[in-house]
Amino acid sequence: MIATIVFVAIITTVIIQGITPTYYQPQGVIKDWFSAMTIAGSLSIFINITTIILTAVLFNKMAIQYRLIKENSLLPICFILLFLTLQPSLITYFSLPNIVTLMLGVAILILYSSYQDNQATEKCFIIGLLFAICGIFYARALYLLPIFIPGMMQMQIGSFKTFAALIIGLITPYWIIWGMGCADISQANIDALAITLQMPVFTTETLSVLFIALLGLFAGVCNLINAYNDNIKSRAMNGFINILSVYTCLIMIIDNSHHTAYYPLLCSCVALQLSYFFTSRQERTYRIIFFVLVALLISLQTWIYWIK
């Protein structure tokens, strides 16, 4: 409830301050396939808010359905909303990273549904297909594909057939596009995948990324210690969230000039990690820690939107 109130307050503040149109510059792996366009401010923020809410609901459903948290709770939604609002650029404008995170959430859900499934090739094909679609619109999404390979091993579906299905799913859309003559090899946009190393600039936004990453590291380590109480399936699924969180942090460090491309996914992973941490500990001390954490996040948001 607190997170929802804060989220609504921030969105209201953004609207009152004035909504500006969003200039969309294509960043996919195919050059000149989409032309740059301007998205109306009201439409831009509507798409963004809808995407964020759908992502939060999806990860919350995933957490409850696959027992990634110890009790039915809305904590994942709470943390995702609080974390994402620490980055104004991902809230106020049309944001491809938010849309990519929603699609990757669907991919994770499909991966989890394939646990110990001997007929998982179709599901792996769909996962590859989702990544290919993401890559058409936002090339950097492809950097997140490799972590799904150990994820398939975690779900005990790793085999030549499933790996082949993943790769075939990845190349199928591009093969169709090339085969229909809609694009050719000269339009491959390698620049969209270019990584430029630079010294990080410590702003409020970059410090918030560091804070979220440290929260994920802390919760991940604590959850590993507590994982012996879980069954094998829960350990595998929570383990994948842990390695996905670490992998995302590493990608953000390497590709630090585009850290916002991966921030929504990091927020979603850390939200699940913290939700597991708090729902598996009922002592009064941890409830106090929870409210202190929420108060700290709201204080940061107050500084970013109303004081700075």
Side-chain angles (χ1 to χ4, degrees), residues 48 51-52 55-56 59 79-81 83-85 87 89-91 95-102 104-105 138 144 209 212 244 248 252 258-271:
N48 219 24
T51 304
I52 289 170
T55 301
F59 276 88
F79 283 123
I80 289 173
L81 294 182
F83 291 160
L84 281 176
T85 47
Q87 294 285 332
S89 62
L90 294 174
I91 293 294
S95 173
L96 280 172
N98 286 335
I99 295 174
V100 167
T101 301
L102 176 60
L104 293 187
Y138 199 61
L144 297 165
V209 173
I212 301 301
L244 180 58
T248 306
M252 292 176 78
H258 299 92
H259 68 272
T260 54
Y262 316 101
Y263 181 76
L265 181 62
L266 177 65
C267 290
S268 302
C269 292
V270 175

Side-chain angles (χ1 to χ4, degrees), residues 1-213:
M1 178 61 73
I2 296 174
T4 304
I5 293 172
V6 172
F7 183 73
V8 171
I10 289 173
I11 296 302
T12 303
T13 301
V14 169
I15 293 173
I16 291 173
Q17 290 176 348
I19 304 174
T20 57
T22 301
Y23 179 73
Y24 168 65
Q25 181 69 37
Q27 302 174 55
V29 295
I30 305 176
K31 288 181 182 177
D32 305 322
W33 217 50
F34 296 99
S35 57
M37 59 182 174
T38 300
I39 303 174
S42 56
L43 177 61
S44 172
I45 199 166
F46 173 77
I47 294 173
N48 219 24
I49 293 171
T50 303
T51 304
I52 289 170
I53 292 173
L54 287 175
T55 301
V57 170
L58 175 67
F59 276 88
N60 198 87
K61 169 182 167 55
M62 184 193 305
I64 294 173
Q65 181 176 345
Y66 292 104
R67 308 304 299 169
L68 303 181
I69 54 180
K70 291 292 187 178
E71 60 187 46
N72 292 352
S73 170
L74 296 177
L75 277 183
I77 293 178
C78 167
F79 283 123
I80 289 173
L81 294 182
L82 289 175
F83 291 160
L84 281 176
T85 47
L86 293 175
Q87 294 285 332
S89 62
L90 294 174
I91 293 294
T92 54
Y93 304 108
F94 173 76
S95 173
L96 280 172
N98 286 335
I99 295 174
V100 167
T101 301
L102 176 60
M103 295 186 71
L104 293 187
V106 174
I108 296 171
L109 201 61
I110 294 171
L111 179 68
Y112 283 174
S113 70
S114 68
Y115 181 78
Q116 291 185 339
D117 185 355
N118 295 327
Q119 306 297 323
T121 50
E122 291 183 6
K123 294 177 180 178
C124 292
F125 175 86
I126 294 172
I127 291 173
L129 197 64
L130 285 171
F131 269 95
I133 294 170
C134 288
I136 290 173
F137 296 97
Y138 199 61
R140 294 185 185 279
L142 297 176
Y143 284 133
L144 297 165
L145 177 62
I147 200 61
F148 274 72
I149 295 175
M152 291 163 64
M153 303 297 291
Q154 288 274 93
M155 299 305 115
Q156 301 179 29
I157 58 168
S159 68
F160 175 78
K161 286 184 178 180
T162 52
F163 291 139
L166 182 71
I167 299 302
I168 292 171
L170 180 65
I171 65 175
T172 295
Y174 304 112
W175 183 267
I176 293 173
I177 290 169
W178 177 77
M180 294 179 64
C182 298
D184 57 59
I185 194 67
S186 64
Q187 290 179 260
N189 189 13
I190 304 301
D191 293 340
L193 292 167
I195 293 176
T196 304
L197 295 177
Q198 62 179 30
M199 289 296 294
V201 179
F202 290 101
T203 63
T204 307
E205 286 74 19
T206 54
L207 289 175
S208 67
V209 173
L210 179 61
F211 178 61
I212 301 301

Side-chain angles (χ1 to χ4, degrees), residues 1-7 10 74-83 85-86 211-212 215 274-275 278 286-303 306:
M1 178 61 73
I2 296 174
T4 304
I5 293 172
V6 172
F7 183 73
I10 289 173
L74 296 177
L75 277 183
I77 293 178
C78 167
F79 283 123
I80 289 173
L81 294 182
L82 289 175
F83 291 160
T85 47
L86 293 175
F211 178 61
I212 301 301
L215 281 177
L274 282 175
S275 298
F278 284 113
Y286 293 106
R287 294 186 180 184
I288 294 173
I289 293 173
F290 168 75
F291 285 111
V292 169
L293 175 59
V294 171
L296 180 58
L297 290 169
I298 293 174
S299 299
L300 285 171
Q301 290 158 344
T302 302
W303 168 260
W306 292 293

